[in-house]
C-alpha cells in the first residue's frame, strides 16, 4: 500500500458506505441549496451552492475510487449501471419512436398543433438519440 | 448460477469482507454471488477458483444442460 493511499484512507476512513453517502449527500445539499435559492429569491447564491457541491460530488465520485485501497466500485456496479442504462435507453426509444413520428406527421397534416414545449422535447429526444449513437460507436470501436 | 462459495468461504474461516478484499471486489458483490443474485465475470470466477485452489466447476454449477452444447456431433463427423 502506498503512503499516499494509506494516508487518504486513514484521514478519510473511506468505506463504500461513506463514499456513497458523501457523493449523494453533496448532491442533496446542492439540490436543497438551489431550491432554497429559488424560494428565498437568492438565485445566484443558490446556483453557486448547487454548482460547487455537485461538482464536488462528481470529483469525489470519480477521484476517490482511484486513491482508496478499499474497493468502492467493481464489476457488479458496472453491470448494474449498464443494465439500468440499457433499460432507460430501451424505454426512451420505445416511447420516442412510438410517439414522435406520429406527432410530426399529424402536425404536418394540420390535425394537431405541436406546442413549442413539445417541439423542445422532440429536439431533446432527437439529440439524446444522436448522442447515444455517437457514444455507442465510440464504445464499440474501442472494445 | 448455483455455487458453493458460502461453504468454501466458511470452511476457510473468512468473512465476506475478507474474501472481497482478497479478490478485489466489494463485499456486496460477494454477498450477491452467494445469494445467487449475481453471476461473476469469467475473470472473477477464475480469481475465486484460484483463491480456493480448486476448479471453477467445483465452485460454480451452471444451470444449463451441457449435453445440449456438446460438440460430440462435430467430433464424429
Amino acid at each position: 500500500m502506498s503512503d499516499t493511499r494509506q494516508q487518504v484512507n486513514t484521514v478519510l476512513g473511506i468505506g463504500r458506505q461513506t463514499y456513497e453517502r458523501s457523493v449523494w449527500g453533496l448532491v442533496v445539499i446542492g439540490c436543497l441549496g438551489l431550491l432554497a435559492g429559488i424560494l428565498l429569491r437568492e438565485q445566484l447564491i443558490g446556483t453557486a451552492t448547487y454548482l460547487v457541491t455537485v461538482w464536488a460530488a462528481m470529483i469525489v465520485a470519480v477521484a476517490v475510487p482511484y486513491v482508496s485501497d478499499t474497493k468502492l466500485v467493481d464489476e457488479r456496479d458496472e453491470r448494474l449501471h449498464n443494465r439500468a442504462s440499457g433499460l432507460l435507453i430501451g424505454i426512451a426509444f420505445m416511447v420516442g419512436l412510438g410517439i414522435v413520428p406520429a406527432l410530426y406527421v399529424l402536425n404536418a397534416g394540420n390535425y394537431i398543433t405541436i406546442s413549442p414545449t413539445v417541439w423542445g422535447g422532440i429536439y431533446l429526444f432527437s439529440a439524446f438519440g444522436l448522442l447515444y449513437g455517437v457514444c455507442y460507436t465510440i464504445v464499440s470501436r474501442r472494445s | 448460477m448455483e455455487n458453493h462459495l458460502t461453504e468454501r468461504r466458511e470452511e476457510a474461516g473468512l468473512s465476506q469482507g475478507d474474501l472481497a478484499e482478497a479478490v478485489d471486489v466489494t463485499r456486496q458483490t460477494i454477498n450477491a454471488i452467494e445469494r445467487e443474485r449475481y453471476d461473476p465475470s469469467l475473470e472473477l470466477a477464475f480469481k475465486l477458483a484460484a483463491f480456493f485452489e480448486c476448479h471453477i466447476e467445483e465452485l460454480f454449477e451452471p444451470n444449463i444442460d451441457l449435453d445440449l452444447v456438446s460438440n460430440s456431433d462435430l467430433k464424429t463427423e
Side-chain angles (χ1 to χ4, degrees):
Chain A
M1 190 189 312
S2 71
D3 289 345
T4 315
R5 285 186 173 186
Q6 176 81 56
Q7 205 171 21
V8 168
N9 273 341
T10 308
V11 173
L12 298 178
I14 301 166
R16 188 179 159 90
Q17 207 171 32
T18 311
Y19 168 71
E20 288 179 350
R21 283 179 179 172
S22 304
V23 173
W24 288 111
L26 284 167
V27 172
V28 168
I29 290 169
C31 292
L32 289 176
L34 190 65
L35 194 65
I38 294 167
L39 293 174
L40 301 172
R41 297 182 182 277
E42 291 286 354
Q43 288 89 344
L44 197 63
I45 296 172
T47 306
T49 308
Y50 175 79
L51 289 175
V52 168
T53 52
V54 168
W55 273 95
M58 287 193 283
I59 290 167
V60 168
V62 173
V64 171
Y66 284 103
V67 295
S68 173
D69 273 344
T70 311
K71 195 74 178 176
L72 299 173
V73 178
D74 67 5
E75 61 172 53
R76 181 169 159 271
D77 295 303
E78 198 176 325
R79 199 179 295 180
L80 290 173
H81 171 70
N82 288 344
R83 279 189 187 174
S85 303
L87 186 63
L88 171 69
I89 293 291
I91 291 169
F93 274 74
M94 280 172 71
V95 171
L97 291 175
I99 294 173
V100 173
L103 286 178
Y104 187 79
V105 171
L106 289 175
N107 181 67
N110 290 324
Y111 290 100
I112 58 165
T113 305
I114 297 177
S115 70
T117 308
V118 176
W119 272 121
I122 291 171
Y123 288 135
L124 189 67
F125 171 77
S126 305
F128 181 65
L130 199 64
L131 188 62
Y132 172 78
V134 171
C135 292
Y136 188 89
T137 305
I138 293 169
V139 171
S140 62
R141 287 193 177 189
R142 290 178 66 179
S143 59
Chain B
M1 194 186 302
E2 287 181 30
N3 65 75
H4 305 288
L5 198 59
T6 308
E7 296 96 295
R8 291 275 181 168
R9 179 177 60 75
E10 287 176 352
E11 279 171 15
L14 296 169
S15 68
Q16 289 182 340
D18 295 332
L19 180 57
E21 200 176 330
V23 294
D24 200 29
V25 292
T26 63
R27 186 193 58 75
Q28 287 82 355
T29 295
I30 297 297
N31 183 263
I33 296 170
E34 289 189 356
R35 288 190 295 137
E36 295 172 11
R37 297 189 66 173
Y38 174 68
D39 291 337
S41 67
L42 200 53
E43 184 185 350
L44 179 54
F46 269 110
K47 272 188 184 177
L48 288 165
F51 181 80
F52 290 113
E53 295 175 343
C54 64
H55 294 292
I56 286 183
E57 297 93 325
E58 294 172 62
L59 213 48
F60 297 98
E61 290 180 20
N63 300 324
I64 53 171
D65 188 351
L66 293 176
D67 291 336
L68 291 176
V69 291
S70 165
N71 64 355
S72 55
D73 292 343
L74 292 173
K75 282 179 182 172
T76 54
E77 282 176 7

